[in-house]
């Protein structure tokens, strides 16, 4: 069968890929392994084969070299697929490329910003504004939803084991039990709102916080928002009593 002359064996298109920032404060494999084990709680599919950018901006200046093969294998053990390195010194470039990693020239972290006053969660709009994805059905365990380039509004429960991602903010007008990642493309101003907050993990602009010992009891299953203050995930109640 003859192929169409216009059909090429390969096409190149622009695509946006969400990658986790793995920010290293140590190059010790044992310390990193122990930290990842604690972070994931031993759950084998915690990261679910996600792409990872290794950020060594905080430690690169004091390192003579890094065992990239060992580091990549260690991340792979936790189902993180290293694709690039951020914050490397020029002397490290050849070794990084030799291990199949790219050099990410982006910033080495989120710039701190001044704390802002707590905001009241907005009421659901009758008609969603442009640039918003709306989900009206429950998000099941194992399901992943990504609102690319926009905010995400969910009006039904987000179950344990589900993952919701947005380049903008996330609004859940129902219980939030799964993993919520806002500002996935690096927007540090993004926030996460829920009428009943009980997530397994939250992230804003690549900064993560897990709740291995449970969500703070004083705000569990209550209206709350999550925002990024500098490099710290901050949780604020949206209950009327807390704003009085």
């Amino acid at each position: 069968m003859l192929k169409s002359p216009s059909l090429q064996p390969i096409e190149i298109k622009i695509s946006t890929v969400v990658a986790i920032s793995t920010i290293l404060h140590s190059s010790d494999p044992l310390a990193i392994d122990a930290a990842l084990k604690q972070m994931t709680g031993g759950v084998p599919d915690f990261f679910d084969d996600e792409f990872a950018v290794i950020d060594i901006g905080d430690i690169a200046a004091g390192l003579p070299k890094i065992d990239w093969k060992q580091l990549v294998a260690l991340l792979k053990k936790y189902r993180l697929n290293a694709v690039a390195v951020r914050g490397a010194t020029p002397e490290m470039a050849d070794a990084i490329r030799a291990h199949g990693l790219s050099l990410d020239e982006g910033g080495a972290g989120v710039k701190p910003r001044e704390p802002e006053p707590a905001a009241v969660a907005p009421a659901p709009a009758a008609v969603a504004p442009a640039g918003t994805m709306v989900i009206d059905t429950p998000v099941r365990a194992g399901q992943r939803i990504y609102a690319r380039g926009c905010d995400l509004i969910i009006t039904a429960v987000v179950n344990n084991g589900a993952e919701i991602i947005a380049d903008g903010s996330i609004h859940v007008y129902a219980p939030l039990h799964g993993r919520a990642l806002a500002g996935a493309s690096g927007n540090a101003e993004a926030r996460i709102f829920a009428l009943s907050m009980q997530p397994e993990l939250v992230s804003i602009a690549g900064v993560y916080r897990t709740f291995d010992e449970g969500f703070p009891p004083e705000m569990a299953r209550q209206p709350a928002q999550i925002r990024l203050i500098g490099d710290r995930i901050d949780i604020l109640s949206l209950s009327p009593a807390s704003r009085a």
Side-chain angles (χ1 to χ4, degrees):
M1 181 182 293
L2 294 177
K3 294 183 178 180
S4 168
S6 62
L7 184 62
Q8 299 297 321
I10 185 172
E11 291 184 71
I12 303 296
K13 294 184 177 180
I14 302 298
S15 177
T16 300
V17 177
V18 176
I20 290 175
S21 290
T22 56
I23 303 171
L24 299 189
H25 300 292
S26 169
S27 61
D28 180 0
L30 294 178
I32 296 170
D33 192 7
L36 284 170
K37 185 175 181 179
Q38 181 181 24
M39 180 185 300
T40 61
V43 178
D45 60 349
F46 188 90
F47 287 113
D48 199 20
D49 291 324
E50 290 164 292
F51 294 120
V53 175
I54 305 171
D55 190 330
I56 61 170
D58 288 346
I59 60 174
L63 291 177
K65 69 174 187 176
I66 294 179
D67 188 334
W68 295 107
K69 181 178 180 180
Q70 184 181 31
L71 180 56
V72 169
L74 177 56
L75 294 177
K76 186 69 174 179
K77 173 183 173 182
Y78 291 91
R79 297 185 65 177
L80 284 170
N81 297 306
V83 295
V85 177
R86 179 182 301 149
T89 64
E91 294 77 16
M92 296 177 176
D94 289 342
I96 290 170
R97 293 192 181 98
H99 287 84
L101 301 170
S102 299
L103 290 170
D104 185 344
E105 303 299 335
V110 178
K111 293 182 179 179
R113 60 186 178 91
E114 292 299 319
E116 301 172 11
V120 178
V127 178
T132 302
M133 176 187 288
V134 179
I135 303 295
D136 292 319
T137 56
V139 187
R140 303 181 302 275
Q143 187 176 4
R144 173 183 290 182
I145 293 174
Y146 178 23
R148 188 186 304 276
C150 62
D151 288 355
L152 175 61
I153 294 176
I154 299 178
T155 62
V157 62
V158 179
N159 288 298
N160 287 321
E163 185 173 74
I164 54 175
I165 307 170
D167 286 342
S169 294
I170 293 174
H171 306 257
V172 180
Y173 298 107
L176 170 57
H177 296 297
R179 300 195 292 177
L181 298 84
S185 61
N187 179 9
E189 302 295 324
R191 299 191 184 193
I192 300 169
F193 300 89
L195 290 184
S196 178
M197 190 76 80
Q198 187 78 13
E200 300 169 320
L201 173 150
V202 295
S203 169
I204 295 180
V207 178
Y208 279 76
R209 179 170 174 180
T210 59
F211 303 100
D212 298 331
E213 299 180 359
F215 199 73
E218 66 276 13
M219 286 181 280
R221 299 183 179 88
Q222 300 295 321
Q225 69 162 308
I226 292 174
R227 63 182 183 178
L228 187 65
I229 302 297
D231 59 356
R232 185 188 79 246
I233 292 291
D234 196 32
I235 306 170
L236 294 173
S237 174
L238 291 174
S239 297
S242 70
R243 302 196 302 271

